[in-house]
Amino acid sequence: ALRYHSGWEKAWASPEPKKRYDVIVVGAGGHGLATAYYLGKVHGIKNVAIIEKGWLGGGNTGRNTTIIRSNYLQDPSAAIYEKARSLYEGLSQDLNYNVMFSPRGLLMLAQSEHEMRGYKRTVYANNLQNVETRWIEPKEVKKLVPILNIAGPRYPVLGALLQEKGGTARHDAVAWGYARACSDMGMDLLQNTEVTGVRTEGGRVVGVDTSRGSIDCGKLAIVVAGHSSVLAGMAGFRLPIESMALQAWVSEPIKPTIDVVVMANLVHGYMSQSDKGELVIGGGTDGFNNYSQRGSWHHVEETTRALIETFPVISRLKMLRQWGGIVDMTGDRSPILSKTPVDGIFVNCGWGTGGFKAIPGSGFAMAELVAKGYSPLAAEFGLHRFKEGQFIDESVAAGVAH
Ligand code: FAD
Ligand code: PYC
């Protein structure tokens, strides 16, 4: 500020596109950037471009409610989400960029007998998967979150699944940290550059067409969340993905009120408090497929109304702003990290309503898949599972209503 905001060093370069890259990653969200980062860091592949039609982190990565946890049910999910959570622990040091990881604890409230049984089952599964979660009784829930009304009458809190190592991180810092590290390795970040076509020859990818001209590549990683089907269409194959809007909103800032993250999945709401003091609140997806990257009044009203019994304080708060992102849903609510019918093209998508928490683990696995053609962490998330019926059902663990 003393220099009148002049002379700041740019965090990453904005170069002109080269004619050819060994790997092109489409999509500079968290997953695309992390893929590029681990390609360079772990596999030494640095002739890489990350192509982004807007600004980096401007998709779902910069629009989510930043909840990080790894309390999924199935073994392949526990493995990749727990890898991600553990990488988050050291991410600020690894990137030398403060991603403000805050393992403040994550609660999933049980507000029906059915949920209680479900979360207890998840705790048993997590204990076998080396994911630390535990079941806590209503008294301990109330101690952790004094503003909670646990008495009901309609939705009493019967207990909760607690993941003490869950929490939040600053979403855009995650994108910015990875972006700066990629740029420092000599990779090209091409913002405001839309991929408009995918070129193939003899069943193999040779390059992409973009709003800044054609660029050749050896391999192509499509990591574009809600636009995955659009990119797959350009390459000539289909994906089992539906896109729809998911939205979130924040209240006016208030004094520190709640220092854990709470998900109340029965009433389709979740809440945490940001460092600025705003209560960060979200609900379920739109009930129909769409590409509209914005919020809508009925969701704000319905979710806030539903949360009021459990969090009476919010009845007296003004809501400040709302926004939305386009999430990429699979039928089993698990992601896709996969080779595709086109040689040299890989996809990473289907993270739907829950991929922020997965960014480091997903990037790590995707980089391995792209570099070596196989990644143990990604193996069960291939497209083959939709043909073979090997679904990884996480519709409950996803937590968010769809
Ligand atoms: P994105 O960040 O969306 O990046 C994809 C990029 O691809 C975009 O920047 C887009 O512009 C670019 N792109 C698309 N088409 C093209 C093209 N033709 N050419 C070039 N670039 C293109 N997850 C959690 O774990 N915890 C949460 O609390 C949570 N809350 C959420 C709340 C909301 C409201 C939303 C919307 C999502 C939430 N999620 C949450 C989900 C999470 O945000 C996503 O799963 C994750 O951010 C996806 O990251 P990504 O890198 O795959 O996609
Ligand atoms: O996946 O934990 C999650 C989540 C919370 C809010 C939106 N997604």
Side-chain angles (χ1 to χ4, degrees), residues 65 67 69 72 263 270 353-354 357 398 400:
T65 45
I67 297 176
R69 58 187 175 88
Y72 283 70
M263 298 183 71
Y270 34 92
T353 61
K357 67 176 79 63
V400 177

Side-chain angles (χ1 to χ4, degrees), residues 30-31 52-53 60-61 64-67 195 225 352-357:
H31 290 263
E52 168 55 52
K53 72 173 175 178
N60 295 343
T61 298
N64 67 82
T65 45
T66 76
I67 297 176
V195 171
T353 61
F356 175 69
K357 67 176 79 63

Side-chain angles (χ1 to χ4, degrees), residues 55-380:
W55 66 96
L56 65 87
N60 295 343
T61 298
R63 294 164 185 268
N64 67 82
T65 45
T66 76
I67 297 176
I68 294 172
R69 58 187 175 88
S70 56
N71 57 335
Y72 283 70
L73 181 65
Q74 313 289 352
D75 291 348
S77 322
I80 197 164
Y81 286 106
E82 179 61 11
K83 170 79 180 172
R85 196 207 54 74
S86 66
L87 284 172
Y88 262 120
E89 285 183 338
L91 197 59
S92 296
Q93 288 76 12
D94 188 20
L95 300 175
N96 188 25
Y97 200 99
N98 190 358
V99 301
M100 298 168 78
F101 178 55
S102 166
R104 59 184 67 180
L106 171 285
L107 281 176
M108 279 189 167
L109 303 182
Q111 293 179 287
S112 70
E113 294 283 335
H114 180 78
E115 268 194 310
M116 205 161 88
R117 275 198 299 274
Y119 291 146
K120 284 185 176 173
R121 179 185 178 209
T122 304
V123 168
Y124 294 136
N126 289 166
N127 290 347
L128 293 170
Q129 296 154 336
N130 289 325
V131 175
E132 282 174 43
T133 61
R134 65 187 171 93
W135 172 258
I136 59 172
E137 298 294 332
K139 249 169 107 178
E140 194 175 345
V141 177
K142 179 75 181 168
K143 206 168 152 212
L144 279 170
V145 196
I147 61 164
L148 263 187
N149 166 31
I150 61 166
R154 193 156 176 217
Y155 299 116
V157 174
L158 305 174
L161 179 155
L162 170 65
Q163 183 169 23
E164 268 154 323
K165 291 183 174 174
T168 59
R170 171 79 194 269
H171 49 11
D172 6 56
V174 172
W176 296 338
Y178 276 122
R180 188 180 70 171
C182 289
S183 184
D184 286 350
M185 283 191 275
M187 297 180 181
D188 285 356
L189 286 158
L190 307 174
Q191 298 187 78
N192 297 312
T193 308
E194 181 167 359
V195 171
T196 53
V198 174
R199 286 180 292 112
T200 59
E201 272 173 28
R204 190 177 169 84
V205 69
V206 292
V208 293
D209 298 324
T210 79
S211 51
R212 291 165 78 184
S214 294
I215 309 174
D216 295 340
C217 65
K219 292 179 182 173
L220 180 66
I222 298 175
V223 197
V224 294
H227 286 88
S228 299
S229 303
V230 179
L231 266 289
M234 292 178 196
F237 59 91
R238 296 186 71 198
L239 288 173
I241 291 277
E242 294 181 282
S243 296
M244 55 192 77
L246 177 69
Q247 47 207 294
W249 50 99
V250 289
S251 73
E252 59 188 321
I254 54 173
K255 289 196 171 163
T257 301
I258 172 171
D259 62 2
V260 289
V261 181
V262 180
M263 298 183 71
N265 300 332
L266 188 78
V267 296
H268 307 320
Y270 34 92
M271 200 167 90
S272 64
Q273 189 164 21
S274 77
D275 295 332
K276 288 181 283 184
E278 300 159 343
L279 296 182
V280 182
I281 302 174
T285 58
D286 277 357
F288 49 94
N289 294 352
N290 64 85
Y291 285 92
S292 58
Q293 212 175 23
R294 63 191 169 105
S296 59
W297 283 115
H298 81 278
H299 264 287
V300 177
E301 207 180 320
E302 279 166 22
T303 305
T304 310
R305 191 170 53 210
L307 283 173
I308 281 174
E309 177 182 308
T310 311
F311 298 98
V313 297
I314 63 174
S315 68
R316 298 189 293 281
L317 290 179
K318 294 189 182 67
M319 294 298 146
L320 204 63
R321 58 178 191 281
Q322 59 175 149
W323 64 89
I326 311 162
V327 295
D328 41 337
M329 308 298 306
T330 57
D332 60 1
R333 306 315 188 217
S334 284
I336 299 170
L337 291 95
S338 188
K339 292 180 176 175
T340 69
V342 182
D343 263 1
I345 301 188
F346 301 81
V347 286
N348 179 345
C349 61
W351 292 99
T353 61
F356 175 69
K357 67 176 79 63
I359 285 172
S362 154
F364 184 89
M366 183 67 177
E368 193 172 28
L369 180 64
V370 172
K372 298 183 172 172
Y374 178 79
S375 162
L377 277 176
E380 316 224 18

